[in-house]
Amino acid sequence: MTQTLAAKDINIRYLIDNFGLQLAEDEQFLREFQEDLPEITDLEKQLLDRLKAGFINLLTYPPLLENVVKLSVVGPLLFIAGFYLSPFQVKAEKSIQIQEEDDGVTIEGRLDILLLKDQFWVMVIESKKAAFSIEEGMGQLLAYMWASPDPEKPTFGMITTGGNFIFLKLVRGETPRYALSEQFSIRRRENELYSVLQIFKRLSQLA
């Protein structure tokens, strides 16, 4: 009998035990988040400064729910990064399904935002309301990334609460491995949305 699990209930321990997922310790594994990051323009910096100010203002009117995070932060970032333009496609509330044939388990869920280029999953984005910790959604996001139709290529993801951002990389292959970027925070004195946009641009070049 097939057992169905919701992706939102999946944690990293489950992926380790059932899929053999390992944390990559090699710094080179994350080179896409660290090397050859594109420059951003003065206009982009102005837009990101405005985005930061708007989000901080929203924090003074709690609760800041998940849909507001997508509307006020994720959507504008994708616009500034050029992901609404060809050849990219943006899919919202995309259904995914992962089957474990040996154990008769099916994992189902709906990811917040999926970016596609010729059906290559450039990035899976999961947003959480501001009160949540990023770690709470990490297993869920990795489960979504596992559903990529091309296991031979790396899959990249981002999880955000609006105020904090972490990028993930998943390589399946014979030994599935994943790693996390450093955490970027909108509340630090320097606008770390600059770094977030640089990584977006870098990933768009790889697609």
Side-chain angles (χ1 to χ4, degrees), residues 34-50:
Q34 300 165 337
E35 299 176 359
D36 301 321
L37 295 180
E39 295 295 325
I40 60 176
T41 66
D42 289 339
L43 175 58
E44 288 168 338
K45 290 178 181 179
Q46 292 173 18
L47 293 172
L48 294 174
D49 289 343
R50 191 176 182 89

Side-chain angles (χ1 to χ4, degrees), residues 91-109:
K91 304 290 186 181
E93 297 293 329
K94 173 77 174 177
S95 297
I96 62 101
Q97 187 177 86
I98 309 167
Q99 291 187 332
E100 293 180 74
E101 297 181 1
D102 293 341
D103 298 327
V105 175
T106 299
I107 300 172
E108 295 180 341

Side-chain angles (χ1 to χ4, degrees), residues 147-203:
S148 169
D150 191 347
E152 301 303 316
K153 294 182 178 179
T155 303
F156 301 97
M158 185 190 79
I159 186 166
T160 180
T161 61
N164 296 289
F165 303 80
I166 284 182
F167 290 89
L168 297 88
K169 178 181 178 180
L170 173 67
V171 176
R172 286 160 66 182
E174 186 175 342
T175 303
R177 297 190 298 159
Y178 79 101
L180 315 173
S181 73
E182 63 180 289
Q183 181 169 298
F184 302 98
S185 175
I186 207 168
R187 282 191 168 275
R188 296 198 178 108
R189 185 174 298 278
E190 294 184 6
N191 191 347
E192 295 194 347
L193 289 176
Y194 295 179
S195 298
V196 172
L197 181 61
Q198 285 181 294
I199 293 174
F200 270 15
K201 285 187 166 189
R202 174 72 173 126
L203 295 181

Side-chain angles (χ1 to χ4, degrees), residues 58-120:
L58 286 173
L59 290 176
T60 65
Y61 298 94
L64 187 55
L65 302 179
E66 184 174 350
N67 283 339
V68 180
V69 170
K70 286 187 279 189
L71 180 66
S72 63
V73 179
V74 178
L77 273 173
L78 296 181
F79 174 80
I80 296 170
F83 282 124
Y84 294 143
L85 301 174
S86 179
F88 297 100
Q89 301 174 50
V90 177
K91 304 290 186 181
E93 297 293 329
K94 173 77 174 177
S95 297
I96 62 101
Q97 187 177 86
I98 309 167
Q99 291 187 332
E100 293 180 74
E101 297 181 1
D102 293 341
D103 298 327
V105 175
T106 299
I107 300 172
E108 295 180 341
R110 300 181 71 86
L111 52 87
D112 283 351
I113 298 173
L114 171 65
L115 300 179
L116 296 172
K117 181 183 176 185
D118 299 327
Q119 299 305 306
F120 170 48

